[in-house]
Amino acid sequence: MFSNLKNVKNYTIGFIGLGIMGRPMALNLVKAGWHLLVFDINKDALNTLHRQGATVMNSPAELAAQCEMIISVLPDSPQVLEIAFGLNGLVHGIRPGCIFIDMSTIDVDTIIRIQEKFEKMGVDTLDAPVSGGEVGAEAGTLSVMVGGNRSAFERALPLFQVLGTKISHMGGSGSGQITKSCSQIATALTTQGVVEAFTLAKSAGVDLTKVREALLGGFAQSRALELTGAKMISRDFTPGFKLSLYSKDLRIARSAAAARKLNLPGLELVASEMGSLVRAGSGGLDFSALLQFFENNNNK
């Protein structure tokens, strides 16, 4: 067991995954004074963190051997399983008393599988997916939805408070991922509403900027209308959150619903639309490019 658990600021933190979300999250931890060890296959991302004071490691196993807490922010379940149990994975270096915090959005079954294996090694696992996109990651204003052991959550709370402003312990292992699926369903359907409203306004010749301003003053006000709506109007589809990743998140939500024999028609509709855009080659665009699906279908 670790000897310095009472002073969490003395922890050495491992961080794996320095993509659109992970890089600003890791930078915020470094700027807040945490000692960070980082690993990623992207050399440029590693160099960025190294210049800010983080220590670059050669493998997850090497990183795990020196850390009290480890965070991963990765695209999907296969990547998380690889860094956890692969040839040079965490399992080969992680020590009893460590906390593994996966902040990716992955299948519930995957995080429970990891939690059960690490528990046998004396390691706590938290699933802590986030909402807020690149803007929230950069600003440290993410919403963090955490599943897992309550005492582990409380130990990790100072970390979460650097990364987000809304930190919620949702319950046992996997409950964070279920909550993230709920968030993605609600956000996707709200975005769908904005797209359909804009499609109608445009077809009638009403200025979209004025429509957005008017709707923001009423019951239709939402973050999707405020932020995603602005991107749609400017046609700035630079990814803050890629369509391909959103499509993946909705696949996870559909799987969770199917496992519980639930019929969620709105989810099925938006998942189908996003999937169509990804297959057409638009997966690297921001999810606000959902607008293109309606433009294509309405010949605009």
Side-chain angles (χ1 to χ4, degrees), residues 61-84:
E62 181 184 53
L63 176 148
Q66 301 181 48
C67 293
E68 285 86 358
M69 292 187 187
I70 301 163
I71 295 172
S72 61
V73 185
L74 296 164
D76 203 349
S77 298
Q79 291 82 15
V80 178
L81 286 171
E82 178 62 24
I83 64 102

Side-chain angles (χ1 to χ4, degrees), residues 199-210:
T199 300
L200 175 60
K202 184 177 179 181
S203 72
V206 183
D207 185 277
L208 293 185
T209 299
K210 292 182 178 179

Side-chain angles (χ1 to χ4, degrees), residues 88-284:
N88 293 302
L90 299 173
V91 70
H92 302 293
I94 204 163
R95 299 172 291 168
C98 184
I99 301 176
F100 173 57
I101 307 166
D102 181 53
M103 303 188 77
S104 320
T105 300
I106 63 173
D107 292 290
V108 174
D109 290 347
T110 298
I111 197 63
I112 291 176
R113 174 181 168 189
I114 293 170
Q115 182 267 326
E116 289 175 346
K117 185 159 186 175
F118 278 167
E119 184 178 35
K120 294 175 182 176
M121 302 174 65
V123 173
D124 281 311
T125 299
L126 297 174
D127 54 296
V130 300
S131 180
E134 184 181 11
V135 172
E138 291 176 348
T141 58
L142 294 167
S143 174
V144 187
M145 299 153 269
V146 189
N149 181 279
R150 179 78 195 192
S151 63
F153 165 77
E154 290 173 353
R155 284 169 55 198
L157 187 57
L159 273 180
F160 295 141
Q161 289 171 333
V162 173
L163 303 175
T165 51
K166 178 63 176 177
I167 319 297
S168 305
H169 182 247
M170 306 309 304
S173 184
S175 60
Q177 292 296 345
I178 291 292
T179 306
K180 177 59 184 291
S181 285
C182 294
S183 173
Q184 295 302 74
I185 293 169
T187 305
L189 293 179
T190 305
T191 302
Q192 173 92 355
V194 173
V195 171
E196 293 191 16
F198 280 9
T199 300
L200 175 60
K202 184 177 179 181
S203 72
V206 183
D207 185 277
L208 293 185
T209 299
K210 292 182 178 179
V211 169
R212 174 177 170 273
E213 290 174 356
L215 297 184
L216 284 172
F219 199 67
Q221 193 279 334
S222 68
R223 293 283 284 174
L225 179 62
E226 179 185 358
L227 301 178
T228 311
K231 289 176 74 71
M232 291 175 186
I233 292 170
S234 67
R235 303 195 68 81
D236 175 14
F237 300 134
T238 304
F241 191 70
K242 292 181 180 179
L243 259 172
S244 58
L245 293 177
Y246 213 125
S247 182
K248 178 267 297 184
D249 289 358
L250 295 186
R251 171 189 58 78
I252 290 171
R254 291 177 70 198
S255 177
R260 292 156 182 80
K261 297 182 172 56
L262 299 176
N263 177 29
L264 303 179
L267 167 60
E268 293 295 326
L269 177 63
V270 184
S272 174
E273 293 166 355
M274 287 192 181
S276 177
L277 285 170
V278 171
R279 290 189 295 274
S282 297

Side-chain angles (χ1 to χ4, degrees), residues 19-34:
I20 288 177
M21 296 293 290
R23 187 185 317 200
M25 292 166 69
L27 284 170
N28 284 339
L29 289 170
V30 171
K31 291 173 184 176
W34 296 84

